[in-house]
Short mmCIF file of all heavy atoms in Angstrom, two decimals:
data_model
loop_
_atom_site.label_atom_id
_atom_site.label_comp_id
_atom_site.label_asym_id
_atom_site.label_seq_id
_atom_site.Cartn_x
_atom_site.Cartn_y
_atom_site.Cartn_z
N ILE A 77 7.39 35.48 22.34
CA ILE A 77 7.70 34.26 21.62
C ILE A 77 6.44 33.67 20.97
O ILE A 77 6.50 33.06 19.91
CB ILE A 77 8.38 33.22 22.54
CG1 ILE A 77 9.04 32.12 21.69
CG2 ILE A 77 7.41 32.60 23.52
CD1 ILE A 77 9.87 31.16 22.51
N GLY A 78 5.29 33.90 21.60
CA GLY A 78 4.03 33.47 21.00
C GLY A 78 3.75 34.23 19.72
O GLY A 78 3.29 33.67 18.73
N GLY A 79 4.04 35.52 19.73
CA GLY A 79 3.86 36.34 18.54
C GLY A 79 4.78 35.88 17.42
O GLY A 79 4.39 35.86 16.24
N PHE A 80 6.00 35.50 17.78
CA PHE A 80 6.93 34.99 16.77
C PHE A 80 6.39 33.70 16.15
O PHE A 80 6.40 33.54 14.93
CB PHE A 80 8.29 34.72 17.41
CG PHE A 80 9.27 34.06 16.49
CD1 PHE A 80 9.92 34.79 15.50
CD2 PHE A 80 9.53 32.70 16.58
CE1 PHE A 80 10.81 34.18 14.63
CE2 PHE A 80 10.42 32.08 15.73
CZ PHE A 80 11.07 32.83 14.74
N ALA A 81 5.91 32.78 17.00
CA ALA A 81 5.38 31.52 16.49
C ALA A 81 4.19 31.75 15.57
O ALA A 81 4.05 31.07 14.53
CB ALA A 81 4.98 30.61 17.66
N LYS A 82 3.34 32.69 15.91
CA LYS A 82 2.18 33.00 15.07
C LYS A 82 2.61 33.58 13.73
O LYS A 82 1.99 33.31 12.69
CB LYS A 82 1.26 33.99 15.79
CG LYS A 82 0.57 33.41 17.02
CD LYS A 82 -0.24 34.48 17.75
CE LYS A 82 -0.87 33.93 19.02
NZ LYS A 82 -1.62 34.98 19.76
N THR A 83 3.69 34.36 13.73
CA THR A 83 4.20 34.93 12.48
C THR A 83 4.78 33.85 11.59
O THR A 83 4.56 33.83 10.37
CB THR A 83 5.27 35.99 12.77
OG1 THR A 83 4.72 37.00 13.62
CG2 THR A 83 5.76 36.64 11.49
N VAL A 84 5.53 32.91 12.19
CA VAL A 84 6.09 31.80 11.41
C VAL A 84 4.98 30.97 10.80
O VAL A 84 5.05 30.59 9.62
CB VAL A 84 7.00 30.92 12.30
CG1 VAL A 84 7.42 29.66 11.54
CG2 VAL A 84 8.23 31.70 12.74
N LEU A 85 3.93 30.68 11.58
CA LEU A 85 2.82 29.89 11.03
C LEU A 85 2.17 30.64 9.88
O LEU A 85 1.79 30.03 8.87
CB LEU A 85 1.80 29.59 12.12
CG LEU A 85 0.67 28.65 11.68
CD1 LEU A 85 1.22 27.27 11.32
CD2 LEU A 85 -0.40 28.51 12.77
N ALA A 86 2.03 31.95 10.01
CA ALA A 86 1.46 32.75 8.91
C ALA A 86 2.31 32.63 7.67
O ALA A 86 1.80 32.51 6.54
CB ALA A 86 1.35 34.22 9.34
N ASP A 87 3.64 32.64 7.83
CA ASP A 87 4.53 32.48 6.69
C ASP A 87 4.35 31.12 6.02
O ASP A 87 4.35 31.01 4.79
CB ASP A 87 5.99 32.64 7.12
CG ASP A 87 6.36 34.09 7.40
OD1 ASP A 87 5.61 34.99 6.98
OD2 ASP A 87 7.41 34.32 8.04
N THR A 88 4.19 30.07 6.84
CA THR A 88 3.97 28.74 6.24
C THR A 88 2.65 28.71 5.48
O THR A 88 2.55 28.06 4.43
CB THR A 88 3.98 27.62 7.31
OG1 THR A 88 2.83 27.73 8.17
CG2 THR A 88 5.26 27.64 8.13
N GLU A 89 1.65 29.40 5.98
CA GLU A 89 0.35 29.45 5.28
C GLU A 89 0.50 30.09 3.91
O GLU A 89 -0.01 29.55 2.90
CB GLU A 89 -0.65 30.24 6.12
CG GLU A 89 -1.03 29.58 7.43
CD GLU A 89 -1.81 30.49 8.36
OE1 GLU A 89 -1.85 31.72 8.10
OE2 GLU A 89 -2.37 29.99 9.34
N ASP A 90 1.21 31.21 3.87
CA ASP A 90 1.37 31.91 2.60
C ASP A 90 2.20 31.10 1.61
O ASP A 90 1.86 30.99 0.42
CB ASP A 90 2.05 33.26 2.84
CG ASP A 90 1.20 34.22 3.67
OD1 ASP A 90 -0.03 34.00 3.74
OD2 ASP A 90 1.77 35.16 4.25
N ILE A 91 3.28 30.53 2.09
CA ILE A 91 4.21 29.82 1.19
C ILE A 91 3.61 28.51 0.70
O ILE A 91 3.70 28.19 -0.49
CB ILE A 91 5.55 29.60 1.90
CG1 ILE A 91 6.27 30.94 2.01
CG2 ILE A 91 6.40 28.57 1.16
CD1 ILE A 91 7.51 30.92 2.88
N TRP A 92 2.98 27.75 1.57
CA TRP A 92 2.42 26.47 1.12
C TRP A 92 1.20 26.68 0.23
O TRP A 92 0.93 25.87 -0.66
CB TRP A 92 2.11 25.57 2.30
CG TRP A 92 3.34 24.87 2.77
CD1 TRP A 92 4.03 25.07 3.93
CD2 TRP A 92 4.08 23.87 2.05
NE1 TRP A 92 5.14 24.27 3.98
CE2 TRP A 92 5.19 23.52 2.85
CE3 TRP A 92 3.89 23.23 0.82
CZ2 TRP A 92 6.12 22.56 2.44
CZ3 TRP A 92 4.83 22.28 0.41
CH2 TRP A 92 5.92 21.95 1.21
N THR A 93 0.47 27.75 0.43
CA THR A 93 -0.63 28.09 -0.49
C THR A 93 -0.06 28.32 -1.89
O THR A 93 -0.61 27.84 -2.89
CB THR A 93 -1.38 29.34 -0.01
OG1 THR A 93 -2.01 29.06 1.25
CG2 THR A 93 -2.44 29.77 -1.02
N LYS A 94 1.08 29.01 -1.95
CA LYS A 94 1.74 29.29 -3.23
C LYS A 94 2.31 27.99 -3.85
O LYS A 94 2.14 27.74 -5.05
CB LYS A 94 2.86 30.29 -3.03
CG LYS A 94 3.73 30.52 -4.27
CD LYS A 94 4.80 31.56 -4.02
CE LYS A 94 5.80 31.62 -5.17
NZ LYS A 94 5.18 31.84 -6.48
N VAL A 95 2.97 27.18 -3.02
CA VAL A 95 3.57 25.94 -3.54
C VAL A 95 2.50 25.00 -4.07
O VAL A 95 2.66 24.40 -5.15
CB VAL A 95 4.40 25.24 -2.44
CG1 VAL A 95 4.84 23.85 -2.90
CG2 VAL A 95 5.62 26.08 -2.07
N PHE A 96 1.40 24.86 -3.35
CA PHE A 96 0.31 24.00 -3.82
C PHE A 96 -0.23 24.53 -5.15
O PHE A 96 -0.50 23.75 -6.07
CB PHE A 96 -0.80 23.94 -2.78
CG PHE A 96 -0.67 22.80 -1.80
CD1 PHE A 96 0.54 22.58 -1.14
CD2 PHE A 96 -1.73 21.96 -1.54
CE1 PHE A 96 0.67 21.53 -0.24
CE2 PHE A 96 -1.61 20.91 -0.64
CZ PHE A 96 -0.40 20.69 0.01
N SER A 97 -0.41 25.83 -5.25
CA SER A 97 -0.94 26.43 -6.47
C SER A 97 0.03 26.28 -7.63
O SER A 97 -0.34 25.85 -8.73
CB SER A 97 -1.25 27.91 -6.23
OG SER A 97 -1.69 28.53 -7.41
N ASP A 98 1.30 26.59 -7.39
CA ASP A 98 2.30 26.53 -8.45
C ASP A 98 2.50 25.12 -8.98
O ASP A 98 2.80 24.93 -10.17
CB ASP A 98 3.65 27.08 -7.95
CG ASP A 98 3.63 28.58 -7.72
OD1 ASP A 98 2.65 29.24 -8.14
OD2 ASP A 98 4.59 29.09 -7.13
N ASN A 99 2.35 24.14 -8.11
CA ASN A 99 2.56 22.75 -8.52
C ASN A 99 1.26 22.02 -8.84
O ASN A 99 1.27 20.81 -9.06
CB ASN A 99 3.33 22.00 -7.42
CG ASN A 99 4.77 22.44 -7.32
OD1 ASN A 99 5.64 21.93 -8.02
ND2 ASN A 99 5.03 23.41 -6.44
N GLN A 100 0.16 22.79 -8.84
CA GLN A 100 -1.15 22.25 -9.20
C GLN A 100 -1.50 20.98 -8.41
O GLN A 100 -1.89 19.95 -8.97
CB GLN A 100 -1.21 21.97 -10.71
CG GLN A 100 -0.99 23.21 -11.56
CD GLN A 100 -1.07 22.95 -13.06
OE1 GLN A 100 -0.89 21.82 -13.52
NE2 GLN A 100 -1.35 23.99 -13.82
N ILE A 101 -1.35 21.08 -7.10
CA ILE A 101 -1.67 19.92 -6.24
C ILE A 101 -2.85 20.22 -5.33
O ILE A 101 -3.02 19.58 -4.29
CB ILE A 101 -0.44 19.51 -5.40
CG1 ILE A 101 0.18 20.70 -4.68
CG2 ILE A 101 0.60 18.83 -6.28
CD1 ILE A 101 1.39 20.34 -3.82
#
Side-chain angles (χ1 to χ4, degrees):
I77 196 173
F80 174 78
K82 293 175 183 178
T83 303
V84 172
L85 186 64
D87 285 344
T88 68
E89 293 169 347
D90 295 340
I91 288 171
W92 279 110
T93 296
K94 173 178 170 55
V95 171
F96 268 50
S97 176
D98 290 349
N99 289 273
Q100 299 181 339
I101 50 179

